[in-house]
Amino acid sequence: PPPPPPPLVGEGVLGGLAPRDAQGRTTGSSVFTSTDGRVSFDIPAGTIARDSSGNNLTGISVTSFTNPPAPPTGSNIVGLPYEIGPTGATFTPPITMTFTYDPATVPAGATLVLAYYNPATGLWVELPATVDTVSHTFTVTIDHFTLFAVLAKLPPPAAPPPPVIPPPPPGPNWTLIGSIIAALLILAIVIYWRRRRQRRQNSAV
């Protein structure tokens, strides 16, 4: 897949991490917040932070994008994604990241998820994050840096109403027909016996 597009806004390097011990673990905690206040990190003491070359991580950067990779089908990207760098940095154990979103940009009825972009597969991967709909934040633990974004999963379109099938035309009313036939038969019998009786009377005269 093609690499992500170039960034629009560079939020800058947020600073260095706490000193390390002989094993490469941080000896104190570090809290970083992007210049726009939308992304923050908490790197506790005892964290091993390496760059993509395996060296001690010396700083963190946050860069926002305006033309990110396309989201999954049925989803929108809420606000701007952020490239957290340096790309390929890893953390042992995972660190805590807080990601803020703007509720005014959330489509009605959408379900929000936090995801990262995997350039190797060209796919967005959902993260098991905790969302706070009051403070409008996601809190998640991550073990590496890459491109992150809030995705709004849109509800499926409403199914069309089922077609209206008219009722079948009424069939013959066999009960009524049977009643009519029975009445006509009785009438025919009555007429027959009346005529026969009349003929007998006439013959007697």
Side-chain angles (χ1 to χ4, degrees):
L8 171 74
V9 180
E11 301 294 348
V13 176
L14 302 183
L17 278 71
R20 317 296 168 83
D21 61 16
Q23 287 75 38
R25 298 181 177 88
T26 55
T27 57
S29 61
S30 304
V31 177
F32 300 90
T33 301
S34 62
T35 54
D36 63 1
R38 292 189 174 273
V39 183
S40 63
F41 308 90
D42 181 9
I43 303 178
T47 301
I48 298 176
R50 308 286 193 190
D51 62 19
S52 58
S53 299
N55 301 314
N56 284 340
L57 188 63
T58 57
I60 294 175
S61 63
V62 179
T63 307
S64 55
F65 281 73
T66 59
N67 188 27
T73 301
S75 299
N76 288 344
I77 293 178
V78 174
L80 290 176
Y82 287 83
E83 176 77 42
I84 314 300
T87 300
T90 58
F91 301 90
T92 306
I95 65 173
T96 300
M97 179 177 71
T98 301
F99 205 102
T100 303
Y101 66 92
D102 182 358
T105 61
V106 179
T111 301
L112 296 182
V113 297
L114 185 64
Y116 72 88
Y117 183 71
N118 185 337
T121 62
L123 299 175
W124 288 94
V125 181
E126 293 183 18
L127 291 166
T130 300
V131 60
D132 187 333
T133 57
V134 176
S135 61
H136 312 301
T137 58
F138 281 91
T139 302
V140 63
T141 55
I142 57 174
D143 60 4
H144 70 289
F145 279 165
T146 183
L147 180 64
F148 295 88
V150 175
L151 303 182
K153 301 173 70 174
L154 304 177
V164 177
I165 302 176
N173 190 332
W174 293 111
T175 301
L176 178 60
I177 293 174
S179 300
I180 293 174
I181 293 175
L184 292 176
L185 182 59
I186 293 173
L187 179 60
I189 294 173
V190 170
I191 293 174
Y192 169 78
W193 284 107
R194 283 183 178 179
R195 289 181 178 178
R196 184 173 180 180
R197 185 170 55 186
Q198 186 66 36
R199 285 196 297 268
R200 286 181 179 177
Q201 290 176 352
N202 293 340
S203 300
V205 176

